[in-house]
Amino acid sequence: MLCAAAMVGCTSKLKKENEARAEDMAQRWEALAEHQKESLEEAQRELAQTDSLLEAATRQHDELHQWVMDHARELNDQSPEVLRVNALRARCDSLKVRFEVLAETIKYIRKKQKD
């Protein structure tokens, strides 16, 4: 009889532990879903901002590059305009990389949300 009571007590204890674990896992899945949603929204905001910055930098670069090409005979490699064109090209490249990383981040988050 004592043995049966001990078995029932152990079974009851294990059942409670399993229920607690299941509840804990459910809370973790909810937290993960919320985190993914917030991360996706943040990445989308950053992508929109990066896109605007990239467009502005590209426009500035293209305008100044055209001016430099029109005045290439008068300029040398150390001219302020040439240095500015190079700096703008580097900024555009950096923004393109950031844009691509954010786009891939968004795709990854969306894929994980579907899974």
Side-chain angles (χ1 to χ4, degrees):
M1 181 91 157
L2 186 59
C3 187
M7 291 291 270
V8 170
C10 288
T11 304
S12 177
K13 182 179 178 184
L14 287 174
K15 186 177 178 182
K16 288 178 183 177
E17 287 177 1
N18 286 340
E19 289 172 356
R21 284 188 186 123
E23 186 177 319
D24 184 49
M25 288 302 294
Q27 289 175 348
R28 288 178 184 218
W29 279 110
E30 288 178 29
L32 175 62
E34 184 63 28
H35 177 71
Q36 286 176 336
K37 180 183 173 190
E38 291 170 2
S39 296
L40 179 62
E41 290 171 356
E42 179 64 27
Q44 289 172 330
R45 279 192 296 275
E46 285 185 43
L47 184 68
Q49 182 182 21
T50 300
D51 186 45
S52 297
L53 293 171
L54 178 58
E55 286 180 21
T58 300
R59 188 172 34 260
Q60 288 176 340
H61 171 269
D62 291 347
E63 291 171 1
L64 188 54
H65 182 262
Q66 185 59 46
W67 186 89
V68 166
M69 296 311 293
D70 291 344
H71 297 87
R73 291 180 186 234
E74 304 147 20
L75 302 172
N76 63 39
D77 289 344
Q78 297 302 314
S79 297
E81 296 84 4
V82 173
L83 296 175
R84 178 79 177 133
V85 166
N86 292 338
L88 282 169
R89 177 79 263 148
R91 176 146 173 82
C92 287
D93 291 345
S94 174
L95 287 169
K96 281 181 186 177
V97 169
R98 181 176 176 188
F99 183 92
E100 291 168 3
V101 168
L102 288 168
E104 289 299 317
T105 300
I106 290 169
K107 284 174 26 179
Y108 180 78
I109 292 170
R110 285 183 177 159
K111 179 181 176 196
K112 285 297 179 183
Q113 284 179 332
K114 289 179 183 178
D115 292 344

